[in-house]
Amino acid sequence: MLAIAAMFAACKEEKIDDQMTSGQNKKWWKEAIVYQIYPRSFKDSNGDGIGDLRGIIDQIDYLKGLGITAIWLNPIYSSPNADNGYDVSDYRNIHQDFGDLQTFDSLLVKLHEAGIKLIMDIVVNHSSDEHEWFKQSRSSRDNPYRDYYHWWPAEKGKPAHRYSLFDASGEAWKYDTLTNAYYLHYFADKQPDLNWENPKLRQEVYDIMKFWAEKGVDGFRLDAFQFAAKDTTFPELPGDLDTNFIKYYAMQEGIHTYLKEMYDQVLSKYDVLSVAEGAGRNFEDAHLLVDEERNELNMAYAFDAVDIAKPHGYDLVHLKSVFSKWDKEFESKGWISIFLSNHDQARLVSRYGNDSEEYRALSTKMLNTFLLSMRGTPYTYYGDELGMTNIRFNTIEEYNDISAINGYKKVMNNGGDLQKYLEVLKFGSRDNGRTPMQWTSNQNADFTTGTPWLKINPNHSYINVAEQDKDSTSILNHFRAMTQLRKSTEALVYGKYECLLPEHPKAFVYTRSMPEQSTLVMLNFSKEQVNLSFPALKRADKVLINNTNGLSYKRDSITLTPYQAIIFSLK
Ligand code: GLC
Ligand code: CA
């Protein structure tokens, strides 16, 4: 191992000395540490089993104590909850499960008092079929709202196939008897796609965004927005559409016109963060979204790294190369988001670390060290600061998520292997990442006094805030130390990133450097001991953070214990 390490290090050493700062100007949203809250699952204040805004207000001290600087809330608007709020029926109202506008206003004031910003989820590729617009739209062909959605008159025959991500049949066109026409839904049939070619619809969206911006929210996450523009002649698409839908759906003509308009009307008028879900098909697409002089968005999430984890593991060299490529590409232009988990993924430690009793704590701390020491705005998903794990349901009845349930139906309709599908869900289902927050070891983890909307992970008996709060060596306290370190170390935000041992199969080693400040990050992604030796080690100075209490370091070699994570300052 030593020899290999030295070999890779040799060609890299020169570059470390060339401590350039990346060509980035400073912005609060680049310095932000975002914490994502799935509101249904964070804290229930009234015993109905569903997390709510009052519950978040009650935990503002906790949020402040995490050292995060912004929260992103998954949708909290009125919704029939076909897709837990990603099907909005009133964009200017709060879902009754979560509270009301008054509670929202007070949440916003209290967050701001605590120095925490608030980012809203804007879901406008589609609405709910129970939104007034859609009710009007489907009522008659000459209704003024008809063109708010995509309709295909049945007398023209069946429309060309479009793939639906959530529909059990896989078909995104749904026939509606009322007007003898099909409507389009890229997601579930209760999520009809909005027609962005219609200027009236676009104006409605900008007005909705202004409504929230005027209230003082600090940012917008644009849900599935890369799919908003469509070729509305709806031509036949190639046969690989179902397996390659990003290629045909993402960043279609018109998208940049819409984003520029949104920027002119809304984003440029307020000091807000803007982030798109999805970064298109390639780097070029991503640059067109986020390069500053284009005046569209601040950043996007790319899924390349998030898609790497597989039930049998993943290749660290590949993971490193993905992060390195994205960093390089946006080093001096544009900005990226850093994350490995969210409400559409299973749990961080279960996918990228090791959730066995022996290594759960260490590997979660290591992953949080990683995410909070990369260049780009980091997003932490609630519970990952505790090392919450996958729940691994055994039966389909335990699931709530429409994509799991309809996916199961689809396998059933096609005569597929249901047992195998359940295994797939155990590793990857979104519900793994949606189980309620584990506050204590008490009944229902003190998430609720009622019956939780989704089963609580039984491991809350030992994975919970209360216990970790008391333990100075806990995952939670490590997370707090990492946010402090990031906030006090400019090089961890703006410093140039350089991967030192790109081919090393177990260790992820990089520097983050600015002319006046440099750090060296060493992460062992494996359960084996790893010996490293490379020239930059000689410049290692102070230990800024270490997820173990051991350190086996000599001037030019170091031994990392399983999942050890260390950051040194460099001389
Ligand atoms: C995005 C959301 C996801 C939702 C989908 C449809 O991918 O993150 O949760 O189901 O869009 O709105
Ligand atoms: Ca509640």
Side-chain angles (χ1 to χ4, degrees):
M1 191 60 70
L2 257 168
I4 306 175
M7 202 168 74
F8 289 118
C11 55
K12 289 276 165 186
E13 173 66 353
E14 261 58 60
K15 290 208 180 135
I16 307 160
D17 290 330
D18 156 30
Q19 290 173 3
M20 276 169 36
T21 314
S22 49
Q24 293 282 350
N25 53 2
K26 297 183 183 174
K27 296 277 185 212
W28 71 261
W29 44 264
K30 293 180 183 170
E31 293 165 25
I33 301 176
V34 183
Y35 182 74
Q36 182 191 347
I37 292 183
Y38 198 67
R40 292 185 81 70
S41 296
F42 195 60
K43 181 78 179 146
D44 174 21
S45 71
N46 62 352
D48 65 357
I50 302 171
D52 45 52
L53 299 187
R54 176 66 51 197
I56 301 175
I57 293 176
D58 293 343
Q59 295 303 330
I60 286 184
D61 283 346
Y62 175 74
L63 297 173
K64 198 173 171 184
L66 288 178
I68 52 100
T69 66
I71 61 168
W72 148 31
L73 292 182
N74 290 99
I76 50 172
Y77 319 98
S78 306
S79 162
N81 275 345
D83 184 20
N84 282 348
Y86 282 97
D87 46 324
V88 180
S89 54
D90 183 354
Y91 291 95
R92 286 187 172 82
N93 219 334
I94 303 292
H95 197 295
Q96 62 198 30
D97 287 347
F98 295 142
D100 53 23
L101 280 169
Q102 227 179 334
T103 321
F104 175 85
D105 291 341
S106 110
L107 170 66
L108 188 57
V109 167
K110 295 201 160 104
L111 283 170
H112 285 167
E113 279 167 9
I116 299 172
K117 296 188 188 284
L118 174 60
I119 297 159
M120 299 287 275
D121 214 317
I122 296 286
V123 191
V124 288
N125 169 70
H126 45 270
S127 75
S128 163
D129 65 340
E130 296 182 32
H131 193 291
E132 189 55 32
W133 299 335
F134 190 74
K135 289 187 195 159
Q136 294 285 335
S137 183
R138 74 188 286 213
S139 67
S140 77
R141 287 190 179 191
D142 53 14
N143 186 281
Y145 288 90
R146 186 68 170 180
D147 287 343
Y148 273 43
Y149 297 86
H150 299 284
W151 290 98
W152 183 271
E155 64 272 16
K156 279 172 68 182
K158 265 192 135 185
H161 168 64
R162 286 294 178 271
Y163 171 69
S164 163
L165 280 83
F166 291 168
D167 201 277
S169 75
E171 177 54 59
W173 288 106
K174 178 159 178 173
Y175 179 69
D176 198 40
T177 47
L178 221 54
T179 55
N180 187 36
Y182 297 85
Y183 70 86
L184 185 70
H185 62 91
Y186 278 2
F187 294 90
D189 58 1
K190 284 186 69 64
Q191 295 169 294
D193 282 46
L194 290 160
N195 177 11
W196 274 76
E197 277 184 8
N198 182 347
K200 279 202 206 127
L201 175 271
R202 302 207 296 273
Q203 195 56 52
E204 299 254 22
V205 171
Y206 308 144
D207 291 346
I208 288 163
M209 292 173 78
K210 280 187 224 163
F211 171 82
W212 294 102
E214 285 298 324
K215 279 189 175 293
V217 306
D218 306 285
F220 298 107
R221 175 232 186 220
L222 297 180
D223 180 71
F225 197 76
Q226 58 173 349
F227 302 148
K230 286 149 180 118
D231 176 349
T232 53
T233 64
F234 294 111
E236 286 290 343
L237 291 176
D240 63 337
L241 165 67
D242 291 19
T243 46
N244 245 334
F245 61 89
I246 298 279
K247 180 166 144 198
Y248 303 103
Y249 283 2
M251 305 297 166
Q252 296 300 293
E253 210 183 309
I255 194 98
H256 298 291
T257 316
Y258 308 151
L259 284 170
K260 282 191 193 314
E261 202 176 58
M262 184 187 286
Y263 181 87
D264 288 341
Q265 290 219 28
V266 189
L267 303 174
S268 63
K269 305 253 192 301
Y270 306 88
D271 184 18
V272 285
L273 174 158
S274 55
V275 52
E277 184 200 20
R281 299 154 298 191
N282 46 42
F283 289 138
E284 197 191 330
D285 275 351
H287 273 296
L288 293 177
L289 277 181
V290 303
D291 284 1
E292 230 157 306
E293 80 276 3
R294 290 189 47 87
N295 290 334
E296 293 188 18
L297 301 173
N298 298 153
M299 61 185 116
Y301 318 117
F303 294 111
D304 300 18
V306 178
D307 291 339
I308 288 177
K310 297 283 178 291
H312 53 267
Y314 63 94
D315 175 13
L316 178 66
V317 173
H318 184 201
L319 185 87
K320 291 194 278 188
S321 78
V322 168
F323 275 98
S324 298
K325 271 191 225 149
W326 277 89
D327 181 88
K328 183 101 230 123
E329 191 64 37
F330 294 85
E331 189 170 40
S332 49
K333 228 179 175 208
W335 191 252
I336 56 174
S337 316
I338 299 289
F339 73 107
L340 281 176
S341 56
N342 62 27
H343 65 292
D344 292 330
Q345 309 295 334
R347 281 286 166 189
L348 175 70
V349 65
S350 302
R351 297 197 339 132
Y352 287 92
N354 181 329
D355 67 8
S356 69
E357 220 6 67
E358 193 174 1
Y359 295 121
R360 182 179 45 79
L362 274 173
S363 65
T364 311
K365 291 180 207 172
M366 184 278 291
L367 289 166
N368 286 331
T369 309
F370 167 59
L371 295 165
L372 291 165
S373 64
M374 288 294 285
R375 208 176 63 89
T377 302
Y379 290 73
T380 295
Y381 187 52
Y382 86 94
D384 285 343
E385 77 277 27
L386 305 175
M388 277 174 59
T389 67
N390 279 3
I391 188 155
R392 304 190 172 94
F393 291 138
N394 287 313
T395 61
I396 194 67
E397 288 72 31
E398 289 170 286
Y399 285 94
N400 166 277
D401 176 19
I402 185 165
S403 77
I405 293 167
N406 284 357
Y408 188 85
K409 283 186 197 150
K410 194 168 171 181
V411 174
M412 194 151 56
N413 294 343
N414 297 336
D417 185 338
L418 291 170
Q419 217 42 48
K420 199 165 142 201
Y421 187 68
L422 283 176
E423 285 309 308
V424 171
L425 290 180
K426 267 188 194 175
F427 176 75
S429 162
R430 309 197 291 183
D431 280 338
N432 281 306
R434 296 178 178 183
T435 62
M437 179 71 169
Q438 298 170 198
W439 295 102
T440 69
S441 58
N442 300 341
Q443 195 186 9
N444 290 331
D446 275 331
F447 158 72
T448 180
T449 53
T451 308
W453 73 278
L454 188 66
K455 198 170 148 188
I456 296 180
N457 199 316
N459 66 19
H460 74 271
S461 60
Y462 55 93
I463 304 175
N464 62 65
V465 172
E467 258 159 60
Q468 295 198 22
D469 199 33
K470 303 188 285 222
D471 171 4
S472 64
T473 68
S474 67
I475 308 173
L476 176 61
N477 280 315
H478 176 81
F479 180 84
R480 290 169 172 155
M482 257 326 285
T483 57
Q484 287 321 312
L485 183 64
R486 187 174 179 95
K487 289 195 285 191
S488 59
T489 315
E490 209 179 11
L492 291 182
V493 177
Y494 294 109
K496 183 182 167 70
Y497 158 92
E498 185 84 46
C499 181
L500 296 192
L501 308 169
E503 303 299 330
H504 196 292
K506 294 185 175 131
F508 199 162
V509 178
Y510 48 94
T511 50
R512 299 293 318 281
S513 23
M514 295 181 76
E516 62 285 358
Q517 185 185 63
S518 280
T519 60
L520 169 65
V521 182
M522 285 179 282
L523 310 166
N524 183 354
F525 270 70
S526 79
K527 57 176 188 234
E528 279 94 46
Q529 184 168 301
V530 166
N531 302 311
L532 300 172
S533 176
F534 52 95
L537 258 183
K538 290 198 197 96
R539 292 166 44 220
D541 192 11
K542 289 196 195 72
V543 175
L544 301 179
I545 200 156
N546 180 356
N547 68 346
T548 71
N549 46 25
L551 180 63
S552 156
Y553 160 67
K554 281 192 241 101
R555 224 173 93 75
D556 51 8
S557 81
I558 190 162
T559 301
L560 298 179
T561 50
Y563 297 106
Q564 187 165 21
I566 306 183
I567 304 183
F568 275 108
S569 61
L570 285 180
K571 287 193 275 249

